[in-house]
Amino acid sequence: MCITEGGYYKSVMFTYLILYDLPTFGVHHYSLSSWGSSDRPELFSRRPNWFDELQQKQSLPNMEVVITALNSASVAVLFFKRHLGLKNSAHQLLNISMLMGFARHSMAIFVATISTLFYIVLQFCHRILSYGLLSSFYSMLAKLFRHTWKNLHIRSCQLLYWPILLQGSGLRSKGSVDFAHRSTRHRHSIWSSIVVDILLGNIVGLALLVHAEAVLFWISAFAYNVTDNLLRSGCVWLMGDPAGFKLNTELARVLGMISLSAIQIWSTLWFCFGFLFAYFIKGLAILGIAFGLTLPAALCIDMLKISTLHLNILHRLISCLYSQQIQALASLWRLFRGRKWNPLRERFDSYDYTVKQHVVGSLLFTPLLLLVPTTSVFYIFFTNIAATFSCFSILIELTISILHATPYAEIFLWMVRHRTFPSGIWFDIFMGQQCKDEVYETNTNVLMNRGPEIVVSVLQSNFATIGQIVSPHYRSLFSGVSLSSGASSAYGVLSGQRIPSSLHTSLPSTMPWISISYRDYWRLCRDSILSHCAF
């Protein structure tokens, strides 16, 4: 490096020393980009002017290649050292290794047997439902219990494919600590989701089995209060003078009698089949114990929609009447203003209506305007009830999506070893011992150098927080939800359209159905666990 001093050049020697911890599998590695970002960070946002004036332009090193080399430097050495150490200490740790090997094989046989039992049950149910006339019944059940079928398919794919995904991604994951950590997180994602879901399902399922009678009594009391104290009393109240509003008596009676008849018919049907509800609660508990919490939660959404089918029908009937009245009033109001919708140009143009058209419009506008308050009161009443049950369904659906999207393995690994989640690098620069002999004279801009200067840089790494780890999964979960959809839903409720009953959150992708022999599947599960424990 050349430094100008009074017209002269002095040659100064700099020695750069970079210290860093060796990347090790299960401990830490380095990453140039921040956590969750797919773009490479730019080393310089703007090149300075003096850079172009240099006679010798030196190209900047590719930091991605450097970081990859650092992450891959010690993998082979540690791999051979570990196997060499095992060979040298084989005689000393013979008893311990035999005991650990026996425990590992026992665990592999136990888990493989349990997984094979689930595999047999799933294959048996799949073959029965796909046979002959049962396929049409199967498709009908899939449409009726849409949420249950979707979550059952997801859980079946997870139970079928976990031994395949547990085997790893080949030799590439063993060549770099970075790829090894990514492969480990990917392998642990499915089985950790299954374990947490089944654990929560066992807790809720056992609680339902113990308090089945109390839950049945509470649900029956809630249904009775909603039917008698809310629906019937509300319809009778709307048929009179609700809140002092004078409504159209004839229309209010017609709408009230239709609503009361539908409520009575549905209540009679549920009373006849009410004895099956106790078995449904026990089946719900057993389903949660066997397949996890998400499956009975999805079944609760479908059962809530079935049990409120009469409310949805009444709401759709009254909303259709309300929307037709609003559209007719809007069209008649444009008639009085001399405006007409042009479908070719998609705009309102001026139009000269005849006198007869104005008279007919006046005769239709007056009774429709007088009947709108009566229809609006019934529409608001049933909209509030339907929106309340839709909010319950959306809340359960959101809970299911969060249970599927939460990265349990990554959270556990972050709690144990947060250094395996790097988020960018930085250098801690300080001067060496020989730099103490340097004397700086800032007033005369003279630099006196008594020896080579040593600059020591320690390569440091930032680590991701728990929010940075979880947020990408939740962002992909709510990728289909936007503010525009919420605004359109609010406008649809005001204009008499259907109330949305789902947020359309993303769920784990499903895979093709696997069909191999039971013995091969058992061997696959056993070998996956043994290879994973060996790694």
Side-chain angles (χ1 to χ4, degrees):
M1 179 177 181
C2 296
I3 300 177
T4 303
E5 181 187 351
Y8 297 97
Y9 289 91
K10 278 191 175 183
S11 178
V12 182
M13 296 178 61
F14 286 92
T15 301
Y16 295 96
L17 183 62
I18 300 177
L19 304 178
Y20 63 93
D21 293 334
L22 200 62
T24 307
F25 174 73
V27 179
H28 78 98
H29 68 278
Y30 295 104
S31 177
L32 189 61
S33 60
S34 59
W35 186 264
S37 64
S38 59
D39 299 332
R40 293 184 179 181
E42 296 182 359
L43 296 179
F44 296 99
S45 59
R46 180 182 179 184
R47 191 168 63 181
N49 296 327
W50 57 265
F51 189 83
D52 297 330
E53 298 175 358
L54 293 177
Q55 296 180 359
Q56 295 180 355
K57 298 181 180 180
Q58 298 180 357
S59 60
L60 294 174
N62 191 345
M63 294 300 295
E64 288 287 346
V65 177
V66 175
I67 295 299
T68 304
L70 289 178
N71 292 328
S72 306
S74 62
V75 175
V77 177
L78 294 177
F79 180 79
F80 285 110
K81 282 184 177 180
R82 183 178 62 182
H83 284 271
L84 184 60
L86 289 177
K87 291 180 180 180
N88 294 331
S89 61
H91 298 286
Q92 301 176 0
L93 303 177
L94 180 60
N95 295 329
I96 298 177
S97 61
M98 290 178 61
L99 182 61
M100 293 180 63
F102 176 76
R104 184 161 54 90
H105 281 79
S106 301
M107 182 184 68
I109 292 173
F110 175 75
V111 176
T113 304
I114 297 298
S115 301
T116 306
L117 291 177
F118 275 104
Y119 179 77
I120 294 173
V121 172
L122 291 176
Q123 292 292 343
F124 178 75
C125 295
H126 184 263
R127 290 176 183 176
I128 288 180
L129 294 176
S130 301
Y131 178 76
L133 297 176
L134 291 176
S135 60
S136 58
F137 179 72
Y138 169 71
S139 60
M140 183 183 66
L141 286 178
K143 293 180 181 179
L144 184 61
F145 297 93
R146 181 171 59 89
H147 292 85
T148 306
W149 157 244
K150 186 182 298 183
N151 285 270
L152 180 61
H153 193 192
I154 292 172
R155 182 47 43 85
S156 299
C157 291
Q158 291 176 346
L159 292 174
L160 292 176
Y161 277 89
W162 74 263
I164 299 176
L165 297 177
L166 190 62
Q167 290 181 348
S169 57
L171 296 176
R172 187 183 182 187
S173 62
K174 298 182 181 180
S176 173
V177 180
D178 185 13
F179 285 112
H181 286 167
R182 292 182 185 179
S183 177
T184 301
R185 292 194 296 267
H186 181 69
R187 291 201 310 267
H188 293 337
S189 60
I190 286 186
W191 73 261
S192 61
S193 177
I194 295 175
V195 168
V196 172
D197 199 359
I198 291 180
L199 181 61
L200 294 176
N202 278 268
I203 294 174
V204 176
L206 292 175
L208 281 178
L209 288 178
V210 173
H211 303 89
E213 296 182 357
V215 173
L216 178 62
F217 176 77
W218 182 83
I219 293 177
S220 300
F222 177 76
Y224 177 79
N225 290 329
V226 170
T227 302
D228 289 346
N229 299 334
L230 182 61
L231 295 177
R232 288 175 177 158
S233 301
C235 291
V236 172
W237 179 62
L238 292 177
M239 291 171 65
D241 297 328
F245 290 100
K246 184 63 177 178
L247 304 180
N248 186 274
T249 307
E250 289 75 12
L251 181 59
R253 286 181 180 178
V254 171
L255 296 178
M257 291 302 298
I258 293 175
S259 303
L260 289 175
S261 300
I263 294 170
Q264 183 61 37
I265 292 172
W266 197 252
S267 300
T268 304
L269 291 176
W270 276 105
F271 180 78
C272 295
F273 296 98
F275 68 95
L276 298 175
F277 203 75
Y279 299 100
F280 170 75
I281 294 177
K282 294 180 180 179
L284 203 68
I286 296 173
L287 194 65
I289 294 173
F291 292 95
L293 182 61
T294 55
L295 198 58
L299 184 58
C300 289
I301 296 178
D302 295 327
M303 289 302 299
L304 183 63
K305 290 185 177 181
I306 293 175
S307 60
T308 58
L309 182 61
H310 60 301
L311 295 177
N312 293 327
I313 294 175
L314 290 174
H315 176 261
R316 186 169 298 184
L317 176 64
I318 296 176
S319 63
C320 180
L321 179 61
Y322 173 77
S323 62
Q324 293 296 327
Q325 288 182 350
I326 294 297
Q327 292 176 8
L329 288 175
S331 300
L332 293 175
W333 179 250
R334 289 194 296 268
L335 184 145
F336 297 148
R337 295 173 57 199
R339 308 284 291 177
K340 185 178 181 181
W341 173 254
N342 189 347
L344 296 178
R345 298 185 178 181
E346 295 183 353
R347 66 181 186 183
F348 291 102
D349 296 334
S350 300
Y351 187 79
D352 294 332
Y353 293 96
T354 62
V355 178
K356 293 182 179 180
Q357 289 175 338
H358 278 282
V359 172
V360 173
S362 302
L363 294 176
L364 292 176
F365 183 81
T366 303
L368 283 177
L369 184 62
L370 295 177
L371 292 177
V372 163
T374 305
T375 310
S376 301
V377 168
F378 277 89
Y379 174 72
I380 292 172
F381 176 73
F382 283 102
T383 299
N384 290 331
I385 297 176
T388 303
F389 286 105
S390 296
C391 288
F392 277 114
S393 300
I394 291 174
L395 183 61
I396 299 175
E397 180 187 358
L398 183 61
T399 304
I400 294 173
S401 301
I402 291 176
L403 288 176
H404 280 300
T406 303
Y408 303 103
E410 294 184 3
I411 293 174
F412 177 76
L413 291 175
W414 182 87
M415 294 174 63
V416 176
R417 291 175 178 174
H418 68 281
R419 297 184 65 188
T420 57
F421 298 90
S423 180
I425 60 174
W426 59 282
F427 291 93
D428 189 6
I429 303 175
F430 57 93
M431 310 302 290
Q433 183 68 24
Q434 298 182 5
C435 298
K436 294 182 179 179
D437 297 334
E438 296 178 357
V439 179
Y440 295 92
E441 297 181 6
T442 56
N443 296 330
T444 58
N445 295 324
V446 177
L447 175 63
M448 298 176 62
N449 223 353
R450 297 183 180 179
E453 182 178 355
I454 299 178
V455 179
V456 180
S457 301
V458 180
L459 180 60
Q460 303 286 351
S461 178
N462 296 323
F463 305 109
T465 61
I466 190 66
Q468 292 175 344
I469 295 173
V470 176
S471 58
H473 299 272
Y474 289 163
R475 281 198 298 267
S476 62
L477 172 65
F478 295 102
S479 58
V481 183
S482 61
L483 295 177
S484 59
S485 61
S488 61
S489 299
Y491 175 77
V493 170
L494 294 177
S495 60
Q497 298 179 8
R498 186 179 179 182
I499 298 177
S501 59
S502 177
L503 282 178
H504 301 288
T505 54
S506 61
L507 291 174
S509 59
T510 57
M511 291 167 281
W513 193 266
I514 184 174
S515 181
I516 58 177
S517 64
Y518 303 145
R519 182 178 299 178
D520 293 338
Y521 188 78
W522 185 86
R523 291 177 179 175
L524 179 63
C525 296
R526 184 198 60 183
D527 296 340
S528 299
I529 297 174
L530 291 177
S531 63
H532 175 69
C533 294
F535 181 75

